[in-house]
Amino acid sequence: MDDLVITNARELITLSPGYLRRGNQMSELGIIYNGSIAIKDGKISAIGTPRHVEAKRKSRFIGAKKEIDATNKIVMPGFVDCHTHLVFAGNRAEEFELRVMGKTYKEIAEAGGGIINTVNRTRKATEDELFQNAIKWLNYAITHGTTTMEIKSGYGLSLKEELKILKVIKRLSEMHPITIIPTFLGAHSVPQDKSKKEYMDELLNEIIPEASKHAKFCDVFCEDGVFTKEEARQILMRGKEFGLIPKIHADELTSSGGSELAGEVGAISADHIVYPSKKGIEQMKNSIAVLLPGACLFLSHKPPVKELIQAGIPIAIGSDFNPGASPVLSIPIIIGLACVLSGMTPAQAITAATINAAYAIGVADRVGSLEVGKEADLIILDVSSYKEIPYWFGVNPIITVIKNGKIQDTKNWNSSQNNNHGQ
Ligand code: NIG
Ligand code: FE
């Protein structure tokens, strides 16, 4: 007997078949109008029109334990947030004010603010404080439809402090319904108490060998004044020796060679991609471009979406949730920003936040599309068309979240949001 059947969704957005989409394919949502979907043992057991799903169920002479009528609603895969920096302490509202008044992100960072500001606070926080803070954000994320999330370390910048953050990420993944994929980003900045050379040595010889036991990906902030292309290459190649798959913060503030490097080291994704060179776009064809519309909003960036799509580079989007460049965690808002700021269509943005995002963190065999056999991670939205997701900007359209086949009690989580964040 099926555990759950959702019937009559006005649009059942399947993203099926779940291949990595590029170019025109980015608009292919695989919509079934008036669709139904059945779930058993946490997996999708049938999908199609009501008649199709009914026939499947009758063929087993049984019904479902629970039914949800999704008339006038849409149903789609849970969002995959493929780029976050969710474990940190404090906030940087003062820097936000300075930026609004005209200072740039780079100027603030060079004056000892920026990432280092959060590193100082995160180092002072206990593991438990970081854990509690992160849970609040995860609860917020799931109520906004995120069912899978990548989380980067990177506010520790020493062996002990990076391991503290990776341990928090592990504890979160063990207790929270959101599936969490850990990324090591020790090369997020150079700590204030070390020279670049000292920290590079430490990263290559001490931190990467140890941190690699607790992460799937190795990321690096390849940027003018942070890690050069050659340094980033050394870090990513060393990570590879220890089984970490490369990712790059590439060409975010300036054209720094990150997109070229993505091709050279075989990165699964190159993220930000605001200022890629022509050669970089040419070279990163085997990587996914992860665009981060929250950072684009806060830093007034406009990534070359049309060029990337024309070049046939698959695009994913993520929140980049962090206390500096992108204090934005809601994927419906990120989809809205992708459309309004970056000129993506609603269909392209939805593809980018589901199946392509799943590919960007190596989980597309399990999630990102609604197909028989895949994990039953799906959301019901109180809108009548997917085009309304970016349109009702700032409204949370998610009314039901189903994770691994289980209906989540998101109302309960909403109330836990009354706590103060980042104190
Ligand atoms: O992806 N660019 C580097 N890292 C973050 C910003 C982190 C921060 O400002 O704390 C980003 O935007
Ligand atoms: Fe980032």
Side-chain angles (χ1 to χ4, degrees), residues 375-386:
E375 288 172 18
D377 287 7
L378 46 114
I379 52 182
I380 306 177
L381 294 83
D382 191 14
V383 290
S384 54
S385 158
Y386 70 86

Side-chain angles (χ1 to χ4, degrees), residues 186-336:
H188 198 192
S189 186
V190 177
Q192 274 177 317
D193 51 349
K194 301 240 157 67
S195 69
K196 169 77 81 63
K197 182 172 180 325
E198 283 169 339
Y199 191 51
M200 279 294 290
D201 285 348
E202 199 175 318
L203 273 172
L204 297 175
N205 301 317
E206 288 173 45
I207 308 184
I208 290 176
E210 198 49 41
S212 61
K213 297 176 188 158
H214 311 282
K216 176 170 178 178
F217 300 105
C218 182
D219 199 342
V220 51
F221 190 11
C222 177
E223 184 62 57
D224 256 11
V226 193
F227 292 94
T228 64
K229 183 181 170 195
E230 285 320 309
E231 289 160 348
R233 185 201 309 276
Q234 281 186 55
I235 290 159
L236 295 175
M237 293 311 286
R238 185 70 170 153
K240 262 181 143 177
E241 280 175 43
F242 287 89
L244 296 176
I245 301 164
K247 279 183 170 280
I248 312 178
H249 277 67
D251 303 322
E252 176 184 5
L253 307 173
T254 56
S255 193
S256 322
S259 42
E260 288 89 338
L261 184 62
E264 288 162 22
V265 299
I268 189 166
S269 72
D271 302 38
H272 285 288
I273 308 294
V274 182
Y275 300 104
S277 66
K278 278 215 161 60
K279 187 169 159 230
I281 294 184
E282 195 47 49
Q283 273 185 237
M284 62 170 284
K285 284 212 165 126
N286 292 323
S287 304
I288 296 166
V290 172
L291 304 185
L292 302 160
C296 292
L297 175 69
F298 277 79
L299 304 182
S300 306
H301 287 160
K302 198 163 171 46
V305 172
K306 299 228 157 51
E307 286 90 323
L308 291 168
I309 291 181
Q310 261 164 25
I313 295 172
I315 295 178
I317 55 177
S319 70
D320 193 22
F321 181 62
N322 73 71
S326 183
V328 184
L329 186 54
S330 152
I331 294 293
I333 286 181
I334 292 293
I335 289 172

